Amino acid sequence: MQSSNRRALGSGDGSESPGDHRQGHGLAFDEAPTDVRYDDPWYDELASAWAEAGAAQAPGAPPTETGVPGARRAREDAADAAAQVYLEVQRSEAFREVRGRYRRFVAPATAGFLLWYVAYVVAATTAPDLMARPVAGAVNVALLAGLGQFLTTFLLTWAYSRHARLRRDRAALELRWDTQELTRGARGGAS
């Protein structure tokens, strides 16, 4: 019997040496090249150059600032400038107005819906006679209240989207465009 590399397999008596199995499989582990370069388009040259520059330091020594490339420092400075733009926007009156409109709708709507849900659960557990009262045929108060839960969910979703469209979307979009222009200017027009 032969293996896939056209060598005869051993008789199974265990007389083969471990080196016999490595024949025909390329370089042995100790012969492998140590300087491997990747032909990968996603390979980060900047990061590899930074790591290679830091490799020349003594083991255990703290990294020095001289190993950080200037391009990386420029990106960090641009990121800091963009962060400052976002902080300025967050402190602006327009941003506070958009957030206030959002909170003025969401807080009461959430409280009202949770109150309605808890009232339904409490009534179902504490007043079973009320919930079992028939309204029309087999339809009772509990069934109508349960269907009312679904109906109020859909109505609340509709009201939220309408409120967002009429009261917040335009102001939020203008704020977004202004923020992008300020960020682009802070980064030096690179983005």
Side-chain angles (χ1 to χ4, degrees):
M1 177 184 244
Q2 291 194 353
S3 69
S4 62
N5 64 0
R6 304 277 188 233
R7 287 189 314 117
L9 290 177
S11 61
D13 61 357
S15 62
E16 299 175 2
S17 69
D20 293 342
H21 290 289
R22 287 188 294 190
Q23 292 175 354
H25 289 286
L27 298 173
F29 179 74
D30 56 336
E31 299 171 357
T34 57
D35 185 28
V36 177
R37 301 300 288 174
Y38 295 105
D39 291 332
D40 186 1
W42 299 104
Y43 185 71
D44 189 3
E45 289 291 332
L46 211 67
S48 68
W50 181 54
E52 290 165 3
Q57 296 175 359
T64 61
E65 282 296 312
T66 59
V68 179
R72 182 177 178 153
R73 186 171 318 212
R75 280 196 315 247
E76 289 173 354
D77 292 343
D80 289 342
Q84 290 301 319
V85 166
Y86 281 101
L87 288 174
E88 289 175 24
V89 168
Q90 187 178 8
R91 293 181 193 119
S92 72
E93 184 60 35
F95 183 82
R96 283 195 296 247
E97 180 63 28
V98 170
R99 293 296 294 170
R101 289 178 184 177
Y102 171 78
R103 287 184 184 130
R104 283 191 294 273
F105 178 83
V106 169
T110 302
F113 184 78
L114 287 176
L115 183 66
W116 161 229
Y117 176 75
V118 169
Y120 173 73
V121 172
V122 168
T125 57
T126 59
D129 294 337
L130 171 69
M131 298 299 270
R133 184 173 297 162
V135 175
V139 177
N140 60 14
V141 174
L143 183 62
L144 289 178
L147 292 173
Q149 292 285 316
F150 286 104
L151 180 65
T152 54
T153 300
F154 290 117
L155 286 174
L156 191 58
T157 303
W158 171 80
Y160 176 83
S161 65
R162 183 175 185 273
H163 181 269
R165 182 173 28 95
L166 296 177
R167 310 256 167 119
R168 292 191 325 261
D169 285 351
R170 185 175 306 273
L173 187 60
E174 288 174 8
L175 192 59
R176 177 181 174 194
W177 283 113
D178 292 344
T179 304
Q180 287 180 349
E181 288 178 13
L182 289 171
T183 304
R184 192 172 298 122
R187 290 184 178 174
S191 299

